[in-house]
Amino acid sequence: ILGTILSMNGLLATIVGLAFFKQIRSVLTNRVHIGLSTSLLIAYFLLLIGPERVGNEGVCYFFSIVTHFAFLCAFCWMLCEAVNLYLRLIVVFDSYSKMFLKYSIFSVVTPLLIVLVTIIVEFAGENGAYIISNEASGMRIYCWLDYKARMVAFMLPLILILCMNIIVFVMVMRVLFTSNQSN
């Protein structure tokens, strides 16, 4: 809990520091940092207060769904960070006028689609995806994705984004090494 609270303070300081000054905020990289930091701050806050709110089923669903969405948004913003780094490295002129809008749409719509599919599975099937229950008693014990849903709706997107980040990292390193060798 202490680590999460410290991280939340750091994220809040990052958001305030980057958003306060217009000159700093107008830089695309910093705007992407603000998007990532905001997603992580929301996800950490919900993770801190939400998973054990099992008393009310509606509240439990709310915390599960919004936490799932916030973490997926953070993963997508991390991919945008990587793509932005690559583009800043290979594109000489600053032609990023619509890039933040594209990053924002990607970082919200992609998680939204994943969460919507998970919600459809949740309410169409017999097995709940968003509430972990004790199989013997049927009582709710945790407001989060159950194992199967967690593997498909959380870990699979995470692994895909991690693989894409590794690809972008290799591309960045290749550009750096080839430019370093030519000098």
Side-chain angles (χ1 to χ4, degrees):
I1 292 176
L2 180 63
T4 303
I5 292 170
L6 290 173
S7 293
M8 290 172 62
N9 286 325
L11 289 167
L12 188 59
T14 300
I15 293 166
V16 170
L18 292 175
F20 186 70
F21 300 103
K22 186 176 181 183
Q23 272 186 308
I24 296 173
R25 184 181 60 235
S26 65
V27 176
L28 176 63
T29 303
N30 293 336
R31 293 166 75 188
V32 175
H33 291 334
I34 292 170
L36 172 60
S37 297
T38 303
S39 295
L40 282 173
L41 182 64
I42 292 168
Y44 287 166
F45 177 74
L46 293 170
L47 193 62
L48 196 62
I49 66 167
E52 290 152 5
R53 304 243 178 222
V54 295
N56 182 316
E57 188 175 46
V59 172
C60 194
Y61 275 120
F62 172 80
F63 278 103
S64 295
I65 290 168
V66 177
T67 304
H68 183 207
F69 176 74
F71 273 112
L72 290 175
C73 286
F75 299 153
C76 288
W77 278 113
M78 287 179 204
L79 179 59
C80 292
E81 289 269 13
V83 170
N84 188 54
L85 174 66
Y86 180 72
L87 290 176
R88 305 267 311 159
L89 190 62
I90 64 164
V91 177
V92 177
F93 300 105
D94 194 16
S95 60
Y96 303 115
S97 60
K98 303 273 187 208
M99 286 307 291
F100 183 71
L101 178 63
K102 291 176 186 176
Y103 290 157
S104 298
I105 290 170
F106 170 76
S107 296
V108 172
V109 172
T110 303
L112 185 63
L113 291 174
I114 294 168
V115 168
L116 285 175
V117 168
T118 309
I119 290 171
I120 291 169
V121 168
E122 167 76 27
F123 293 107
E126 296 173 9
N127 297 337
Y130 274 114
I131 297 177
I132 299 173
S133 299
N134 184 327
E135 290 183 27
S137 67
M139 291 184 60
R140 295 183 295 271
I141 56 173
Y142 211 63
C143 302
W144 183 235
L145 294 165
D146 78 338
Y147 180 76
K148 288 179 187 175
R150 191 169 48 246
M151 289 299 115
V152 175
F154 191 77
M155 294 304 293
L156 183 62
L158 174 62
I159 291 168
L160 290 173
I161 289 173
L162 181 63
C163 290
M164 288 186 269
N165 274 329
I166 291 170
I167 291 168
V168 172
F169 174 73
V170 168
M171 293 166 57
V172 165
M173 295 309 290
R174 195 185 83 202
V175 169
L176 288 175
F177 283 126
T178 55
S179 68
N180 193 21
Q181 288 176 351
S182 64
N183 290 337

